[in-house]
Amino acid sequence: LILTYHTKPNCLPTYFQPLPVINILVLISDFQLLLSMLKQQPYYIQRRQGIQSMKPLNISENNDNEEETLSFLPSAPVAHIKVPKRRRKTSSFSQCILKYALLTFAICSIIGVKYFSLTSSVHSRPVTRKWNDLDLNDIENWCLQPNTTSCKCANPLHPAHRHGHKTWTQAHNDNVRFAKNNMPKKSPFRELDVVFFGDSITEGWRGTSFGQAVKKKQENTQVFEGLFDMDSGGDYDGLALGIAGDKSPNLLWRLQHGEMPKSLKSKVFWLLIGKMNLIYQHLQQCILLVLPQSFIRRFNSAGTNDFLKENNCSEEVVIMGIERVIEEMMSLRPSSTIVVNGLLPRATGRENGELYKKNEKNLMDAIDTVNRQLEEFCSSRDDLVYFDATELFVEEDLKIGKGRYAKVIPQELMEDRLHPTALGYKKWGQEIVKELKKILDGQLTIER
């Protein structure tokens, strides 16, 4: 643990992050200092108690006997001094061993508390079971595939962070900073028109992944600025706040922890989240460096953070998670318009980009179901707008045939059949601008 802390601190869970470790070291140092002060008391004194039982003598004025005159004074108390034996001086190596032994004990204690608290909360008994009209008891199937009960899905109603996973914490802190300093560069009095919230697809607008610049995504930044930065010639001012791999509970946690501060004012908030709830997530390798397999398995059953292996959760779980995020955004910004972007398409086969397979339920079938229910949910609310971008990324491959089973995602729009390329972002962004013109008609700023 100490080696990993000094080499790769981001691979440690949140309770191994630098601040708690430093606090533990300080407490241990204070404890050692207190012990050394107590051990260095050199002696104790025992005084004779005869003073209290003494009786003064009556002295006559004519008595010149000095010895008799002073006899009323008590004799000097005897001080018994105990001199400690000289102790051998402890070597610096022994002190170092003692310090790290105490540190190891403290860390193991923290692990134990965290370990047993997590193992008591599996997805069958989550922390939050109900939120307004959303109730976990309404979920009939947690797993995407029918007749399957082996999947472990995060509680869609309970916020969850991902501290310790790659540079997620740094990316979140960057988003908090962007949200607080959100004014356009040249016009500090100009309000934002749209703020995008989501996962890796939303973060891709900034050309980053987990807050780290990605070379092949830098062209995406130019596309975003050309559409959503008026200082660069865009039609509107926008801000993208996304983190790769995030699921609905992760975005919910981010909204509650600084990514939607009171100072972040926008006419429209654009939401795209939920696809990662449908996609299998592997355990992070850096966690395996410091934690035993039995510990990992217990964390998996607890359903927390990125210790969780989500294996194709059902449409019900995904929809409930998205609706929970929508309600959170509406409560924080009741006067703004919330646009719910339908999940973008995801190809089953990356080689040819096929979306559907005969006689088999796959991810695209689930995405279609989620999008239909999201559209119904938004149509029942006046303050919500649904936006479907599926057809922007889908074409028919005549080599395969015609109809539903001939639909594919072209590689020039999504190279990995999951994340848009710069061309895909441009095509999608242009349609977003058209939608914003409908929503913001009559709400243009004085400067504009």
Side-chain angles (χ1 to χ4, degrees):
L1 288 171
I2 294 170
L3 178 62
T4 308
Y5 166 68
H6 285 292
T7 55
K8 294 184 178 181
N10 289 327
C11 288
L12 294 175
T14 180
Y15 39 87
F16 293 151
Q17 293 298 311
L19 185 58
V21 173
I22 292 174
N23 287 338
I24 291 171
L25 285 173
V26 171
L27 289 174
I28 291 174
S29 300
D30 292 342
F31 182 67
Q32 286 181 321
L33 179 60
L34 179 61
L35 285 180
S36 63
M37 291 174 63
L38 293 175
K39 290 179 180 179
Q40 288 176 2
Q41 296 296 328
Y43 54 84
Y44 63 91
I45 300 176
Q46 296 179 344
R47 294 185 177 273
R48 193 170 59 183
Q49 302 298 323
I51 298 178
Q52 297 179 355
S53 60
M54 290 186 305
K55 295 181 180 180
L57 298 177
N58 294 326
I59 306 174
S60 61
E61 296 180 357
N62 300 324
N63 196 343
D64 297 331
N65 190 338
E66 182 181 2
E67 188 173 346
E68 183 179 355
T69 302
L70 298 179
S71 63
F72 74 95
L73 295 176
S75 58
V78 178
H80 299 275
I81 301 176
K82 183 178 180 180
V83 181
K85 295 182 179 180
R86 188 171 184 179
R87 302 182 65 179
R88 296 181 60 184
K89 193 173 182 180
T90 308
S91 65
S92 59
F93 177 76
S94 300
Q95 293 178 350
C96 182
I97 292 297
L98 176 61
K99 180 181 295 185
Y100 283 107
L102 292 173
L103 175 62
T104 304
F105 174 76
I107 292 178
C108 290
S109 301
I110 295 174
I111 293 176
V113 173
K114 190 74 175 177
Y115 172 68
F116 286 108
S117 62
L118 288 174
T119 53
S120 62
S121 59
V122 295
H123 83 263
S124 60
R125 294 188 301 163
V127 177
T128 305
R129 296 195 61 87
K130 189 174 181 180
W131 179 268
N132 293 341
D133 296 333
L134 302 176
D135 193 338
L136 292 185
N137 294 325
D138 297 334
I139 298 178
E140 296 181 1
N141 298 311
W142 284 80
C143 303
L144 178 63
Q145 299 300 331
N147 302 321
T148 302
T149 58
S150 60
C151 64
K152 296 179 177 65
C153 302
N155 181 353
L157 302 181
H158 188 71
H161 60 73
R162 297 170 67 198
H163 290 313
H165 173 62
K166 294 186 177 180
T167 53
W168 187 90
T169 302
Q170 177 184 338
H172 166 63
N173 292 336
D174 290 343
N175 285 351
V176 172
R177 187 175 70 255
F178 294 147
K180 290 181 179 179
N181 306 321
N182 57 76
M183 295 299 178
K185 300 176 183 177
K186 298 181 181 179
S187 302
F189 300 103
R190 198 164 70 219
E191 193 176 88
L192 288 173
D193 298 303
V194 58
V195 176
F196 299 91
F197 279 103
D199 50 27
S200 58
I201 296 176
T202 302
E203 187 182 8
W205 283 114
R206 295 211 312 261
T208 62
S209 179
F210 291 102
Q212 307 297 312
V214 179
K215 186 176 181 180
K216 65 179 181 180
K217 293 185 177 183
Q218 294 310 301
E219 194 176 348
N220 302 346
T221 306
Q222 300 175 5
V223 173
F224 184 81
E225 292 176 350
L227 295 170
F228 305 109
D229 186 354
M230 292 184 64
D231 296 332
S232 301
D235 295 322
Y236 298 101
D237 282 319
L239 176 66
L241 301 175
I243 302 181
D246 267 9
K247 310 171 190 68
S248 302
N250 306 134
L251 177 55
L252 179 61
W253 189 93
R254 287 162 45 197
L255 293 174
Q256 296 176 351
H257 291 80
E259 291 197 25
M260 192 178 272
K262 293 181 179 180
S263 60
L264 180 61
K265 298 178 180 179
S266 177
K267 303 176 183 67
V268 177
F269 288 90
W270 199 284
L271 174 65
L272 175 57
I273 195 69
K275 184 187 289 188
M276 297 308 297
N277 296 77
L278 293 169
I279 299 176
Y280 177 83
Q281 295 294 306
H282 293 281
L283 287 173
Q284 303 308 316
Q285 295 300 319
C286 67
I287 300 300
L288 299 178
L289 294 175
V290 295
L291 297 177
Q293 290 294 329
S294 58
F295 188 67
I296 295 294
R297 286 194 293 270
R298 296 296 292 273
F299 265 94
N300 289 342
S301 63
T304 59
N305 305 332
D306 271 10
F307 293 102
L308 172 68
K309 293 169 66 176
E310 291 199 17
N311 191 0
N312 297 357
C313 298
S314 69
E315 301 94 326
E316 298 176 77
V317 179
V318 177
I319 293 169
M320 185 173 290
I322 297 174
E323 291 181 1
R324 175 66 184 90
V325 173
I326 293 172
E327 290 193 4
E328 186 73 18
M329 296 178 71
M330 293 175 63
S331 65
L332 293 174
R333 294 295 183 274
S335 60
S336 299
T337 301
I338 309 296
V339 178
V340 182
N341 202 119
L343 303 185
L344 298 186
R346 171 74 164 96
T348 304
R350 292 193 176 188
E351 296 179 359
N352 51 17
E354 288 181 291
L355 293 175
Y356 303 98
K357 288 187 177 182
K358 295 181 180 180
N359 304 322
E360 182 181 336
K361 183 179 180 180
N362 57 17
L363 288 176
M364 196 59 208
D365 293 314
I367 289 173
D368 289 339
T369 301
V370 170
N371 289 346
R372 282 195 301 269
Q373 295 194 31
L374 286 177
E375 186 175 8
E376 293 176 2
F377 178 77
C378 293
S379 62
S380 63
R381 307 287 294 267
D382 296 333
D383 44 3
L384 293 179
V385 176
Y386 176 76
F387 182 83
D388 194 345
T390 301
E391 296 302 321
L392 299 176
F393 297 94
V394 175
E395 296 179 357
E396 278 192 3
D397 189 349
L398 298 178
K399 297 179 182 179
I400 299 176
K402 293 183 179 181
R404 171 185 175 89
Y405 298 105
K407 291 185 176 181
V408 299
I409 299 178
Q411 194 169 12
E412 60 268 19
L413 296 179
M414 286 185 177
E415 186 177 2
D416 60 355
R417 308 305 201 271
L418 175 62
H419 301 91
T421 59
L423 178 61
Y425 275 112
K426 184 177 182 179
K427 190 176 180 179
W428 179 32
Q430 289 171 346
E431 295 301 319
I432 292 175
V433 169
K434 293 179 183 179
E435 187 68 24
L436 289 176
K437 288 181 179 179
K438 299 177 185 178
I439 299 172
L440 298 178
D441 184 26
Q443 299 185 38
L444 300 181
T445 61
I446 295 176
E447 181 177 343
R448 217 169 285 162

